[in-house]
Amino acid sequence: MAVEDMCACAVPPLANSVGVHLLSSARIMSLLTHVLACLFGMGSWVAINGMWVELPLIVNDIPEHWLLPSYLTVLIQMANIGPLFITLMHRFRPGVLDERPVIYGIVGLGIVATFLLAFLWKHTVTVGGSLRSVPLLTLSFLLSVVDCTSSVTFLPFMMRLRPQYLTTYFAGEGLSGLVPAVVALIQGVGVVHCENATLSNNSNITDNGMLQAIYQPAKFSAQVFFIFLSVMMVVCLVAFLLLNHHPAVARERKSERYFSGELDREKKEQGLSLNAQTPEQKPMISPSEAGKRELRSSFGRGTYSIFEVVFIFVVLAWVNALTNAVLPSVQSYSCMPYGNKAYHLAATMGAVANPVACFIAMFIPIR
């Protein structure tokens, strides 16, 4: 009887140790998924954000000079053909387009484009009798297509995982602007000093009265910076591969239907509408309550009126136009009187402002 009591007392500690081991293993796997989701999100806009913060170092070495930010803004807007194509496919052929092959394609294109950019950004081609940075502009357009298309492909893929990983993904998306900005701050813009320029004429008379700006190199070149961006895209691809195929991540998915045909049927029924699960709605309204609540007006009781909906979209369009088009295209002109250092700091801190604001909004949500 005493032996049986001893055995009975010995079982609970063994079961507890096994349970603790399984719990710790699950936490490690969950942490791995969080890290992969963050690294995957960092690849979403790291290329274009990196281009913006590197502009102050390359504008003096290309024919476009201070016009380059305006050209880059136009190219980014033209690159929205990628999201437009994905949206039309989901609208008219729901369930046909799988986002996973598209992600492989655009991330691979981003790796190649950033790597080529490191070696070709200075090359020029004569167009219409004047030199133009055709390789730089072409590769910038391709990177814009990659980053714009990631907005409508990365998010549907992450929605296959549990909701907590979507928050981590958006944190990584914010880091896609913060990390290149920090690297650019470390790189610096180089020191500028003035020297007397010696002008010679046919009479061998020299004049030392003119000053010439001499630009010292930064701590590392633009080529190294673009290679760093290419490495970041490689990290994004590796994170996506692990999120897609690692067995530990498979247990973190919402359902085992991820690779089954039932998901395609749901796509056809739902049309992959992202409106039902926007990032701001999820912390505010649980999925069970989202379908039960009707939209309430912030100006009074009842549902949103047509005027309020139009007003919200007009404000949204105006803010996005300023942030993504107007201000970046004129930033070089507004900073020109203050020199490259002011332009470098403005572009870099502008890239830092967005993730910092998003981080603050996580703790102080403003409805």
Side-chain angles (χ1 to χ4, degrees):
M1 190 69 180
V3 175
E4 292 178 356
D5 292 339
M6 291 175 61
C7 293
C9 294
V11 172
L14 179 61
N16 289 337
S17 63
V18 173
V20 170
H21 175 73
L22 292 176
L23 182 60
S24 61
S25 177
R27 288 178 177 175
I28 293 175
M29 293 300 101
S30 176
L31 178 61
L32 172 65
T33 308
H34 278 292
V35 172
L36 293 176
C38 183
L39 295 176
F40 180 55
M42 286 177 61
S44 57
W45 280 91
V46 69
I48 290 301
N49 287 330
M51 279 292 301
W52 281 120
V53 297
E54 196 67 8
L55 286 183
L57 271 75
I58 65 179
V59 290
N60 291 315
D61 297 326
I62 59 174
E64 290 77 13
H65 294 294
W66 297 89
L67 287 172
L68 182 60
S70 300
Y71 291 162
L72 187 60
T73 300
V74 174
L75 292 175
I76 293 174
Q77 304 311 314
M78 292 172 58
N80 282 308
I81 59 173
L84 179 62
F85 172 76
I86 300 295
T87 303
L88 292 177
M89 285 294 296
H90 287 325
R91 176 64 180 85
F92 296 104
R93 299 293 300 275
V96 174
L97 184 65
D98 188 357
E99 64 271 3
R100 287 170 295 162
V102 178
I103 294 175
Y104 281 121
I106 62 175
V107 175
L109 178 61
I111 294 172
V112 175
T114 48
F115 185 77
L116 292 177
L117 196 61
F119 302 96
L120 301 177
W121 71 270
K122 270 189 177 182
H123 287 240
T124 57
V125 178
T126 302
V127 179
S130 58
L131 292 177
R132 297 294 180 187
S133 303
V134 175
L136 174 64
L137 297 176
T138 302
L139 293 173
S140 298
F141 173 73
L142 294 178
L143 290 177
S144 301
V145 173
V146 170
D147 290 359
C148 290
T149 309
S150 70
S151 299
V152 292
T153 53
F154 284 18
L155 184 58
F157 173 78
M158 288 303 303
M159 287 169 60
R160 312 300 180 210
L161 301 178
R162 293 175 183 173
Q164 61 265 30
Y165 299 115
L166 193 61
T167 304
T168 308
Y169 166 80
F170 282 113
E173 195 174 64
L175 290 176
S176 69
L178 181 61
V179 172
V182 171
V183 174
L185 286 175
I186 297 173
Q187 180 186 19
V189 74
V191 180
V192 182
H193 67 276
C194 296
E195 292 183 355
N196 286 332
T198 302
L199 302 178
S200 300
N201 53 25
N202 294 333
S203 302
N204 294 326
I205 300 176
T206 61
D207 181 8
N208 297 330
M210 296 187 65
L211 295 178
Q212 181 180 4
I214 305 298
Y215 291 89
Q216 300 296 322
K219 294 180 181 178
F220 53 88
S221 64
Q223 181 181 23
V224 175
F225 185 83
F226 289 134
I227 292 177
F228 165 76
L229 294 182
S230 183
V231 172
M232 292 292 296
M233 295 301 297
V234 172
V235 171
C236 174
L237 179 61
V238 173
F240 175 66
L241 285 169
L242 294 176
L243 285 173
N244 206 7
H245 299 291
H246 198 283
V249 180
R251 293 192 291 269
E252 302 295 331
R253 297 192 182 109
K254 292 180 181 178
S255 173
E256 295 297 329
R257 300 169 298 168
Y258 181 74
F259 294 104
S260 66
E262 187 175 349
L263 181 61
D264 292 334
R265 290 192 295 271
E266 287 188 2
K267 285 183 180 180
K268 293 180 181 180
E269 295 174 0
Q270 299 174 1
L272 281 180
S273 175
L274 298 180
N275 295 329
Q277 292 185 342
T278 59
E280 291 188 357
Q281 286 181 342
K282 296 187 71 173
M284 296 159 56
I285 303 175
S286 63
S288 60
E289 296 176 352
K292 298 178 182 179
R293 295 191 182 185
E294 61 179 0
L295 294 175
R296 296 287 179 180
S297 171
S298 59
F299 305 105
R301 296 182 178 179
T303 58
Y304 283 102
S305 67
I306 297 297
F307 171 76
E308 291 170 347
V309 172
V310 171
F311 173 77
I312 290 172
F313 275 99
V314 168
V315 172
L316 184 63
W318 175 251
V319 171
N320 278 276
L322 289 177
T323 305
N324 300 321
V326 178
L327 296 180
S329 62
V330 301
Q331 190 175 45
S332 59
Y333 299 102
S334 62
C335 296
M336 189 187 302
Y338 308 99
N340 270 33
K341 187 174 183 180
Y343 181 31
H344 175 73
L345 291 175
T348 305
M349 299 310 295
V352 173
N354 185 34
V356 170
C358 294
F359 180 77
I360 295 174
M362 292 176 61
F363 302 97
I364 311 176
I366 301 175
R367 297 293 183 255

